[in-house]
Amino acid sequence: MPRDTFHSIYNDEWAKCQLENARSIIMSKTWTSKVIRDNVLYLSSQGKTTKEIATLLEITYDNVKFHKKQLMLEFKANNMTHAVYLWHQKLLEDYS
């Protein structure tokens, strides 16, 4: 199996696992802003649109837009691409 295919499959499986965890949190009614924001950041980093994120997380389009706006304010980012970049930088700092 080519390396890129392996990483693509691994990332898809990881994403499915993350989404299942998110859905179980929704079902248990302990869905917090932090969980939504983490998922919005991750899915945005995977190139998902606001509409796709809303569908995947089973929340409203406006809810996703609200969280994206809050993330951009939190990271002092110009747009979501910039917010994702700053999020990755923060993760690198946290783990180094």
Side-chain angles (χ1 to χ4, degrees), residues 30-48:
T30 57
W31 191 243
T32 64
S33 289
K34 170 103 174 83
V35 173
I36 293 173
R37 288 183 187 168
D38 287 347
N39 280 284
V40 167
L41 272 169
Y42 172 73
L43 292 168
S44 293
S45 75
Q46 298 300 305
K48 301 294 184 198

Side-chain angles (χ1 to χ4, degrees), residues 14-16 18-19 22 31 36-50 52-59 64 68 80 84 87:
W14 187 84
K16 286 177 191 171
Q18 289 294 92
L19 290 173
W31 191 243
I36 293 173
R37 288 183 187 168
D38 287 347
N39 280 284
V40 167
L41 272 169
Y42 172 73
L43 292 168
S44 293
S45 75
Q46 298 300 305
K48 301 294 184 198
T49 65
T50 302
E52 290 170 329
I53 293 170
T55 301
L56 288 167
L57 297 180
E58 298 175 357
I59 58 178
V64 176
K68 282 186 170 188
M80 271 312 289
V84 167
W87 173 59

Side-chain angles (χ1 to χ4, degrees), residues 40 50 59-72:
V40 167
T50 302
I59 58 178
T60 66
Y61 178 86
D62 289 336
N63 199 343
V64 176
K65 281 179 58 176
F66 169 79
H67 286 288
K68 282 186 170 188
K69 188 173 187 177
Q70 293 301 309
L71 286 163
M72 288 187 286

